[in-house]
Amino acid sequence: MDRDVSRVLITREQIAQRVRTLGAEISTVYADSSRGLTILPVLSGAIIFLADLIRELPLKMKIAVVHLSSYRGTATDPGEMRVIHGVSGDIRDRDVLIVDDILDTGNTLRRVHGLVRGAGPASMRTAVLLRKPSKAPADLAVDFVGFDVEDQFVVGYGLDYDDHYRNYPDIAVLRPELLK
Ligand code: IMP
Ligand code: MG
């Protein structure tokens, strides 16, 4: 995979450091929650971030999942949105923390927010590892952001290009000639 990468944007050490501080921020917010916390990763991009983040949260929690696809394939622009699997488990009256890899156009999170609201949670917050501030819509609230990044296509640490590179440990930019 190394040879497909033109530049590492955020190293695994920087990610680990930020996930620790994010975990501390999030733990403070939910420290007094008596309603029950459910972490809701958006599959598939959130899987690595999820695994690291929840181990920085010394809180009693359940995990539910929701699976959406923006059908990018080899395109780096968003395509048709599909709900592959709605919210698993019962989140009614629970404190729900949505976890996603990246906030780009916001189409995915807007859809997830709608699905979650429809299920009647006690509260809803969102954590994203990355945000592209130049594209993210101002009216879409996210509560916790790992890093703001420039508007370019990135892979690694859960983020894919045509379903590859999710296991790349750093967040990186692919060589431009690989993007179709
Ligand atoms: P949005 O719906 O445009 O906000 O995009 C959200 C989803 O698109 C993310 O959950 C990712 O799966 C994917 N995505 C957006 N930008 C990137 C990127 O730079 N690299 C890889 N996937 C991305
Ligand atoms: Mg994705």
Side-chain angles (χ1 to χ4, degrees):
M1 288 186 292
D2 270 332
R3 77 170 87 113
D4 292 355
V5 160
S6 68
R7 187 158 70 97
V8 168
L9 213 59
I10 309 172
T11 65
R12 60 200 82 178
E13 291 82 12
Q14 290 171 314
I15 298 169
Q17 171 64 35
R18 183 64 185 120
V19 170
R20 271 196 294 278
T21 56
L22 261 184
E25 283 173 41
I26 293 171
S27 300
T28 308
V29 170
Y30 289 107
D32 298 327
S33 153
S34 55
R35 294 180 292 217
L37 173 62
T38 296
I39 308 284
L40 184 72
V42 183
L43 302 180
S44 306
I47 52 174
I48 315 275
F49 179 39
L50 171 82
D52 285 345
L53 182 66
I54 59 175
R55 287 176 292 170
E56 300 294 336
L57 302 177
L59 306 167
K60 194 167 175 186
M61 65 174 66
K62 292 185 179 182
I63 297 175
V65 297
V66 61
H67 193 179
L68 276 80
S69 165
S70 54
Y71 251 65
R72 286 176 195 242
T74 56
T76 53
D77 292 328
E80 186 202 342
M81 170 82 56
R82 282 212 312 149
V83 178
I84 296 172
H85 199 292
V87 177
S88 72
D90 188 6
I91 57 169
R92 179 164 302 279
D93 297 330
R94 295 186 62 84
D95 289 321
V96 174
L97 177 66
I98 299 161
V99 174
D100 204 358
D101 53 357
I102 186 165
L103 170 57
D104 183 13
T105 64
N107 293 341
T108 304
L109 277 178
R110 215 183 284 285
R111 191 69 181 269
V112 172
H113 285 176
L115 292 171
V116 170
R117 278 201 198 94
S123 72
M124 178 181 83
R125 292 188 180 84
T126 306
V128 292
L129 180 70
L130 306 177
R131 173 173 63 185
K132 295 180 182 169
S134 58
K135 298 248 290 291
D139 65 320
L140 192 88
V142 289
D143 304 273
F144 309 98
V145 177
F147 302 91
D148 280 322
V149 292
E150 304 152 44
D151 182 16
Q152 57 187 334
F153 198 79
V154 292
V155 296
Y157 199 73
L159 292 131
D160 70 300
Y161 174 62
D162 198 18
D163 262 332
H164 289 113
Y165 308 107
R166 291 195 199 274
N167 58 322
Y168 194 73
D170 308 299
I171 291 170
V173 179
L174 286 178
R175 293 157 66 99
E177 61 270 29
L178 292 174
L179 304 177
K180 286 185 205 126

